[in-house]
Amino acid sequence: MQSPFYTPSNPPRHFQSPWKPSPEFNSLPRKFNFSSFPKTPTFSNNSLKTSINYEPEEGLANGPEPASRPTSSPGRLPVVVRQSGRVSRYIWDGAGLKLVSVDCGAASFSLDLEDGFRQLLRFSSLAVKDFLIPKQVPENYMGYVKWKLLHRVFSSALQVLATQAMFRAIGIGYSRSLPSAAALNWVMKDGLGRLCRCVYTASLASAFDTNLKRVRFSTSVMFSLSIGVELLTPLFPQHFLLLATLANIAKQISLACYLATGSAVHRSFAIADNLGEVSAKSQIQTVCFDNLGLLLAALLNMLFKNNQRLLAGLPFVVYPIFTALDLLGIYQGLKHVHLQTLTKDRLEIILNSWIELGYVPTPAEVSKEEGIDFLRRKSVGLWPIRIGSLNIKGQIPQLSMMVMQSLTSEDYYFICMQKGYRGLTRTQHSVVLCLREGAGTADVIMGLLQACYMRKALLLSCRWESLVEADNASDLLLKEWFRVTEDCKRSAQKNLPSLENQMSAMGWIVKNILLNTEEQARYSFVDE
């Protein structure tokens, strides 16, 4: 038999028994004593311990083996396989390899009832986790799923109660009418709802990317209110079509937002390009969690089935409680969604941190600062930066006209100031970044970085407000403004490569910037 430790360099040769070592074998160093190797590999139990706290089987590590056993005992190889919640280990029994479950080995027979229950619970939790959770997701995904469970359970229960209320309203309002009349009302309210869904989706398409969290939470509030309207239909059965149609319009709009933003949310968790797996697991979670909500609604109906008055008033009692828990789950779940795509607001947060603190924040840090801003009460501060075109309805200072006159064919953007109004009487000065047709992502980043540098200079002095207020500013002040503009541009050009490298290292997707409809406005350069 050929030695397993010898690899021939020439084509294989056939030897007759008894076996004689070849010249190549004899040329090996003398320090190797091949006679000490057994025919069957043996292994040391102490050298093969792993991190799974597996105790060796009785008799494998306790001195010499009984005479009845073969001289070559099975050896445990230092290779452990973890798959689908099971832990197994390779065993060499002298004739071949075997894969033996570590958790179900001989040591498991010494477990008491409590240990067995814990192990059963562990196996069950691992099985549920493998069924619901993708393999490779970030740490914040588990927090998102926990809040999604709260949201889907109570939302599903509310929908069941609302559907029951609408059936009750149809039975009351059309007790003397043909069944086709009730069916016609049901079809009409669904048709009008889907029509409004199409109109809403077409008019708000870009906001699904740039204001994802705010739009999604806003439509969730709308969905909860629509359920409340459906619960009122038994009280006003004569107005069933009106109430049901209004409720269905709100529900269809919420559904459109949920479907439009779902892919972006799933992509933020697909850190290993496993978007399909994340989406599939999300559908499984939705089905399982919704079934729990159905079970909750069924239990409530069973508890009050003997009292019809209490059963009719049950939805109005549980509605505020379930709605609060539903919206809480949505709000907290969105906090665990860390989007890596760049928008104007996220990029501005990154640039401000870069200028003030000298580092690029992570998507989680930006997500925390960005928030949901449901009521849009977040302060924009002094000299807010806006991307788009100049508003001709407002006051355009002389400085803006001079900046446009100084443009060349090499400029892909320009920055100016504009006077506007916030509210009825409050004046709001802003910095406007105007982008030219053909401007790329690097131009947008550099332009916004330069605008942030310029805003920092504007905040250090109050004299720049006179450039916006005055119709004819002094030449000295205009020259000073253009000097500050050039200094900020040079700083932006110098720091742009390092900024983009750090943004990519932090996980930001820098190949594109998502802009809303107003921010997508472009100007053309005309060389006359």
Side-chain angles (χ1 to χ4, degrees):
M1 183 180 67
Q2 191 177 12
S3 172
F5 302 96
Y6 164 62
T7 303
S9 58
N10 297 325
R13 303 175 182 177
H14 298 280
F15 300 95
Q16 297 179 352
S17 180
W19 178 80
K20 295 181 181 181
S22 62
E24 294 88 342
F25 186 86
N26 293 328
S27 62
L28 292 172
R30 292 294 181 183
K31 63 180 181 180
F32 290 97
N33 186 11
F34 287 91
S35 61
S36 61
F37 285 95
K39 295 182 180 180
T40 303
T42 58
F43 303 92
S44 173
N45 291 326
N46 295 331
S47 64
L48 297 178
K49 290 183 179 179
T50 62
S51 60
I52 60 174
N53 298 325
Y54 172 67
E55 298 295 335
E57 297 181 2
E58 185 179 358
L60 292 181
N62 297 330
E65 299 182 356
S68 59
R69 293 190 179 183
T71 55
S72 57
S73 62
R76 291 175 294 143
L77 300 176
V79 179
V80 176
V81 179
R82 294 177 175 87
Q83 187 176 10
S84 300
R86 301 183 59 184
V87 182
S88 305
R89 188 169 184 172
Y90 283 106
I91 301 294
W92 175 264
D93 61 355
L97 286 176
K98 293 183 178 180
L99 192 61
V100 178
S101 176
V102 172
D103 299 305
C104 300
S108 63
F109 291 101
S110 62
L111 297 175
D112 56 14
L113 182 61
E114 184 179 356
D115 291 338
F117 177 76
R118 284 201 303 265
Q119 198 152 2
L120 177 61
L121 183 63
R122 173 175 171 269
F123 276 129
S124 301
S125 62
L126 288 175
V128 172
K129 183 178 179 181
D130 291 338
F131 183 71
L132 296 176
I133 306 301
K135 297 298 181 183
Q136 295 182 342
V137 286
E139 296 179 356
N140 55 303
Y141 184 77
M142 290 303 300
Y144 170 78
V145 173
K146 292 176 183 178
W147 289 109
K148 181 181 178 180
L149 169 63
L150 183 69
H151 150 57
R152 297 301 308 187
V153 167
F154 291 101
S155 177
S156 178
L158 281 175
Q159 292 182 59
V160 173
L161 297 177
T163 303
Q164 291 177 348
M166 295 179 69
F167 285 149
R168 193 179 303 115
I170 290 178
I172 295 175
Y174 295 95
S175 57
R176 298 181 180 178
S177 303
L178 295 175
S180 59
L184 178 61
N185 280 270
W186 199 277
V187 171
M188 288 181 63
K189 64 102 177 172
D190 284 348
L192 293 174
R194 292 174 182 176
L195 178 61
C196 294
R197 169 184 171 181
C198 295
V199 175
Y200 168 80
T201 306
S203 61
L204 205 64
S206 62
F208 293 138
D209 292 319
T210 55
N211 299 306
L212 185 148
K213 294 184 179 180
R214 182 170 68 235
V215 172
R216 184 156 184 175
F217 186 75
S218 302
T219 54
S220 299
V221 174
M222 187 183 302
F223 184 86
S224 299
L225 294 177
S226 69
I227 294 180
V229 173
E230 290 180 346
L231 294 175
L232 294 175
T233 52
L235 301 179
F236 307 97
Q238 65 276 14
H239 302 298
F240 172 81
L241 179 59
L242 176 62
L243 295 177
T245 301
L246 293 177
N248 193 259
I249 289 174
K251 293 177 71 173
Q252 291 293 331
I253 290 175
S254 179
L255 178 61
C257 177
Y258 179 81
L259 295 177
T261 58
S263 58
V265 174
H266 297 159
R267 192 183 302 113
S268 67
F269 295 122
I271 57 176
D273 291 335
N274 54 339
L275 179 59
E277 181 189 14
V278 174
S279 301
K281 294 293 185 179
S282 177
Q283 296 181 33
I284 297 174
Q285 295 165 10
T286 301
V287 172
C288 295
F289 299 162
D290 285 354
N291 286 337
L292 293 178
L294 296 177
L295 179 61
L296 176 61
L299 291 176
L300 291 176
N301 280 277
M302 292 176 60
L303 291 175
F304 299 96
K305 65 179 180 179
N306 295 327
N307 194 328
Q308 293 299 321
R309 295 185 60 183
L310 290 178
L311 185 62
L314 175 65
F316 301 100
V317 176
V318 301
Y319 172 73
I321 302 175
F322 284 13
T323 300
L325 294 174
D326 177 24
L327 295 179
L328 176 64
I330 297 174
Y331 187 85
Q332 295 294 336
L334 289 175
K335 285 186 175 182
H336 289 81
V337 178
H338 307 324
L339 301 172
Q340 297 90 15
T341 53
L342 290 177
T343 62
K344 182 263 178 184
D345 294 335
R346 294 183 200 126
L347 182 57
E348 189 174 352
I349 294 174
I350 294 173
L351 297 181
N352 288 333
S353 299
W354 169 266
I355 294 174
E356 299 296 334
L357 305 176
Y359 83 101
V360 174
T362 62
E365 294 172 337
V366 174
S367 177
K368 183 178 180 179
E369 184 174 351
E370 181 185 25
I372 297 178
D373 196 19
F374 169 57
L375 300 177
R376 302 188 182 186
R377 291 183 177 180
K378 186 177 292 186
S379 177
V380 295
L382 299 175
W383 294 102
I385 300 176
R386 182 173 60 86
I387 299 179
S389 59
L390 290 172
N391 186 10
I392 59 176
K393 295 182 180 180
Q395 181 180 357
I396 300 178
Q398 179 187 8
L399 172 65
S400 300
M401 293 182 286
M402 296 187 65
V403 169
M404 285 187 281
Q405 289 178 351
S406 64
L407 290 175
T408 64
S409 59
E410 298 179 356
D411 296 324
Y412 280 90
Y413 67 88
F414 69 90
I415 302 173
C416 59
M417 296 185 296
Q418 186 174 14
K419 178 181 178 181
Y421 295 96
R422 188 180 180 185
L424 298 177
T425 58
R426 185 180 176 183
T427 304
Q428 179 69 63
H429 299 152
S430 60
V431 179
V432 183
L433 171 62
C434 300
L435 300 173
R436 176 182 165 183
E437 290 183 354
T441 303
D443 299 317
V444 178
I445 297 177
M446 191 175 73
L448 194 57
L449 179 59
Q450 180 182 347
C452 291
Y453 278 123
M454 294 174 65
R455 178 172 59 185
K456 184 177 180 180
L458 293 172
L459 294 174
L460 294 177
S461 178
C462 297
R463 60 176 179 171
W464 303 116
E465 295 184 0
S466 60
L467 286 174
V468 183
E469 299 289 346
D471 295 334
N472 295 315
S474 62
D475 294 339
L476 182 61
L477 194 58
L478 290 174
K479 290 181 180 179
E480 179 68 15
W481 169 258
F482 280 103
R483 186 190 65 80
V484 171
T485 301
E486 290 299 323
D487 291 343
C488 294
K489 186 175 182 179
R490 284 193 293 268
S491 299
Q493 291 175 342
K494 177 182 178 182
N495 296 325
L496 182 62
S498 177
L499 173 65
E500 289 182 333
N501 292 335
Q502 288 198 27
M503 289 175 63
S504 299
M506 288 296 176
W508 292 103
I509 303 175
V510 298
K511 63 181 180 180
N512 192 24
I513 299 177
L514 302 175
L515 303 176
N516 59 31
T517 304
E518 296 179 357
E519 295 168 349
Q520 292 175 5
R522 298 290 188 269
Y523 74 90
S524 300
F525 178 77
V526 180
D527 190 6
E528 296 180 346

